[in-house]
Amino acid sequence: MFSFLLVFPVLLGACPVRALAAESAAAAPAFDVLDRFQAWFARLRKGRESIENRPEEEVRAILGDLRTNWAIDPMRENDIAIALLDFVGWCSPVAGVQGEKSRAFAAREIALDTLRAHNEPEFMRWLTREVLAVHSQPLERRVAVLEVLAKDPTAPLLLPLLSCAREEEPRIRIPALEILVGWDDNSVHALFLDELAQALDNRKGASWLAEAHFSKVSLAPLSPYTQRLTKLVGRGLSSSDWREVSRAIALSRPLEPDSVVPYLIEALAQWKAREAAGGQALRIEMEILRALENRSGRKLGLSPADWSAWWKAVRSGTLAGQGPQTGRYREGTRPGFFGLHPATDRVTFVVDRSGSMATTLVAATGGPKKTRWDEAVAQLLGFVDAVGPHARFGVILFHDYPEEWKPTLSDASPENKATARQWLAGTHPGGGTELENAIMRAMHVGPDGQPDLAVLEADTVIVLCDGETAEGPSWVEPFLHTANLRARIVFHCVQIGAAGDGTLEKLAKGSGGDFIHVDG
């Protein structure tokens, strides 16, 4: 991406567009600059020209002339603003496909910066009342207004945003909800509670945004919103579905201890019993444990009895609710993979087997040289050796297409570990880096774009890749908000070498996992 996002012409007549220099050697009047921009934009829309084929200085000059003439001719404000909004609306999906390094992304940022620079109350009122709130306005134009407002929303925008957040059209509704995340207002709390209720009823509620909202706000203990959230959290924590429990833990953050701690302790006991019976439990146990530790300031381990005794002492007044670590518990060492230590007993590895994995690792010591592939296999097998016989694991390799060791997870038994070792020994690096299809295979995503939760057993996916992926990162965010919305898979990602494209970081951050970069 070219570095000119905040660099614009400021002198009259500056930045003539080189390709159009023959039209006028002097600065053109505002209407000429606008007409010239609209003619160029019309060619882009019709596919007669590509923004990526224009030299960056020309794109900068075209948009810079428009910004300059807005400043010197305020009477053209609405016309120029409409032109820029339409340009942003057209650029956004193009930039989403081509990525943040594209010229479309950079041009979009310039146009947005120009619009955001005009934050006068009168202009903002026009933007919200005459454009955003008018359903007959083009959809892309209204979406662009939301992108302008996202940077610095203010109180007078609350009602228009609430109205947009209740529309059926997702391109309006979701950006409005994103802007409202963390807004400390009762009507916003009610809105996100409705989103949660829809999600819990298996309808299309934006539960990931509701989680983000309630992680940032404080609720009055006796408010109806607190009572409603408490019921949702209690319902989730008592579920036998680990996904519902995980969501409830995330949503419990703004609640008072009296409302949630007993539910957390009871849930911990239920999942410890499940672990004792050989069932899937570790990830949820650790999520409950972190929630209790964050509320108590103490480390009492995974014993429900110890936490019950602590809570009884707090309630009786013999022990303060917050305090230093007791020193009674030290968390055991979990298996590692390139420095990652995920809390899971149901894991799928998605490992790069492309040609570049044959590259020799940068040797940190004088030991024998290894390739990236050799080290990845060694780390994977070491993790599986240490994870314990009650755990279950799967392996998918990707290059030009995904290769699956087995269609479902397998016990980490000596026999299965030996079979996996033999299978990996018979494979070698070669081909491309088609990650997206491998992730869809790991998630058991069907033709409808949704994972088959009856088959999807893993709660964690560990991804390793050593370069730019074939697809780029644009698919990650939509995937996390659709296929992974109910699945709640955590992605922990390892990038070997410096040639990443942001895909792994987005997968990890967007799902609550960890990202590690390894020299190589």
Side-chain angles (χ1 to χ4, degrees):
M1 180 173 68
F2 45 96
S3 57
F4 57 84
L5 299 187
L6 299 179
V7 181
F8 301 95
V10 295
L11 300 176
L12 302 187
C15 292
V17 181
R18 294 182 186 176
L20 305 172
E23 296 183 15
S24 174
F31 66 88
D32 286 336
V33 169
L34 180 57
D35 287 348
R36 197 163 57 210
F37 172 83
Q38 289 176 329
W40 173 64
F41 184 33
R43 292 195 298 274
L44 291 176
R45 277 180 149 168
K46 293 176 181 179
R48 296 177 180 175
E49 186 173 336
S50 168
I51 194 170
E52 300 303 316
N53 293 337
R54 277 269 187 173
E56 62 183 60
E57 61 270 20
E58 290 189 11
V59 177
R60 174 173 57 185
I62 291 171
L63 293 165
D65 280 347
L66 210 56
R67 180 180 176 120
T68 299
N69 281 282
W70 186 345
I72 65 174
D73 191 358
M75 297 299 292
R76 303 288 292 177
E77 176 178 75
N78 291 2
D79 293 335
I80 294 175
I82 289 293
L84 287 170
L85 288 170
D86 289 348
F87 181 72
V88 169
W90 175 84
C91 268
S92 293
V94 176
V97 171
Q98 295 178 346
E100 296 183 3
K101 296 181 180 180
S102 69
R103 196 149 296 157
F105 181 88
R108 168 182 167 275
E109 292 301 301
I110 293 174
L112 281 172
D113 188 77
T114 299
L115 289 160
R116 289 167 181 160
H118 292 266
N119 56 1
E120 302 88 357
E122 184 177 350
F123 177 68
M124 297 304 289
R125 280 193 295 270
W126 173 82
L127 208 58
T128 53
R129 295 178 184 178
E130 303 299 325
V131 182
L132 181 61
V134 179
H135 288 202
S136 60
Q137 290 275 7
L139 177 61
E140 290 77 11
R141 189 178 294 169
R142 298 177 68 214
V143 171
V145 172
L146 289 170
E147 292 197 63
V148 174
L149 301 180
K151 195 75 170 181
D152 187 24
T154 57
L157 303 177
L158 180 58
L159 289 178
L161 288 172
L162 285 170
S163 177
C164 290
R166 295 192 181 278
E167 291 189 24
E168 290 293 327
E169 171 55 57
R171 285 179 289 176
I172 293 291
R173 176 172 158 266
I174 297 302
L177 286 169
E178 289 174 340
I179 296 172
L180 289 169
V181 165
W183 206 308
D184 195 4
D185 182 273
N186 287 340
S187 57
V188 180
H189 302 330
L191 174 69
F192 281 112
L193 285 167
D194 289 344
E195 293 293 325
L196 280 176
Q198 291 181 42
L200 291 173
D201 291 336
N202 294 324
R203 290 180 287 160
K204 293 183 179 180
S207 62
W208 77 95
L209 293 175
E211 290 181 32
H213 174 72
F214 288 113
S215 71
K216 296 181 178 181
V217 299
S218 298
L219 299 179
L222 299 179
S223 76
Y225 312 103
T226 302
Q227 295 172 19
R228 190 176 169 193
L229 182 61
T230 300
K231 289 180 181 178
L232 290 173
V233 168
R235 168 183 163 183
L237 288 176
S238 63
S239 174
S240 60
D241 184 340
W242 70 263
R243 296 179 175 89
E244 297 301 323
V245 180
S246 177
R247 178 187 287 118
I249 295 168
L251 290 169
S252 69
R253 292 168 187 163
L255 298 179
E256 293 293 311
D258 287 352
S259 301
V260 71
V261 166
Y263 286 109
L264 289 169
I265 296 173
E266 183 178 351
L268 180 60
Q270 292 173 352
W271 288 86
K272 286 297 293 181
R274 177 176 289 201
E275 179 193 16
Q280 177 179 8
L282 181 57
R283 174 175 154 185
I284 291 303
E285 287 177 15
M286 296 306 296
E287 288 187 10
I288 296 171
L289 179 62
R290 284 193 293 269
L292 288 170
E293 290 176 347
N294 289 338
R295 288 180 174 275
S296 67
R298 297 172 181 269
K299 286 188 176 288
L300 301 180
L302 289 169
S303 167
D306 285 351
W307 284 109
S308 293
W310 163 80
W311 183 241
K312 183 178 181 180
V314 170
R315 297 290 293 150
S316 66
T318 60
L319 182 68
Q322 299 290 330
Q325 296 179 1
T326 64
R328 293 183 55 197
Y329 167 71
R330 187 170 63 119
E331 186 179 320
T333 301
R334 293 194 298 272
F337 181 82
F338 285 98
L340 293 173
H341 295 276
T344 179
D345 49 21
R346 298 293 187 276
V347 59
T348 297
F349 290 88
V350 176
V351 178
D352 187 355
R353 207 212 77 177
S354 64
S356 58
M357 288 291 288
T359 303
T360 301
L361 279 170
V362 177
T365 65
K369 291 183 178 180
K370 287 185 177 180
T371 66
R372 295 172 176 177
W373 171 251
D374 293 336
E375 184 62 20
V377 170
Q379 293 269 345
L380 188 160
L381 293 173
F383 185 101
V384 174
D385 279 339
V387 75
H390 293 299
R392 291 170 63 80
F393 74 102
V395 183
I396 295 176
L397 307 179
F398 64 96
H399 41 99
D400 294 328
Y401 53 88
E403 290 183 89
E404 204 165 25
W405 171 48
K406 291 185 178 181
T408 59
L409 300 191
S410 301
D411 294 334
S413 65
E415 295 78 13
N416 284 330
K417 289 188 288 187
T419 302
R421 187 182 301 272
Q422 184 178 12
W423 181 72
L424 288 166
T427 59
H428 304 282
T433 314
E434 303 277 350
L435 173 60
E436 183 180 2
N437 287 337
I439 295 296
M440 299 306 167
R441 179 74 65 86
M443 296 278 291
H444 296 277
V445 173
D448 62 352
Q450 292 297 322
D452 185 348
L453 298 185
V455 177
L456 179 58
E457 188 180 355
D459 56 36
T460 301
V461 173
I462 298 177
V463 184
L464 180 141
C465 185
D466 76 339
E468 295 184 4
T469 62
E471 310 85 0
S474 61
W475 62 274
V476 173
E477 187 171 344
F479 160 78
L480 291 174
H481 296 163
T482 52
N484 202 39
L485 181 57
R486 291 182 58 225
R488 298 187 71 85
I489 298 295
V490 171
F491 291 87
H492 298 285
C493 300
V494 177
Q495 177 190 313
I496 299 181
D501 58 9
T503 299
L504 299 189
E505 293 96 323
K506 287 190 173 184
L507 267 175
K509 182 179 179 181
S511 65
D514 296 322
F515 169 80
I516 287 182
H517 175 258
V518 177
D519 291 334

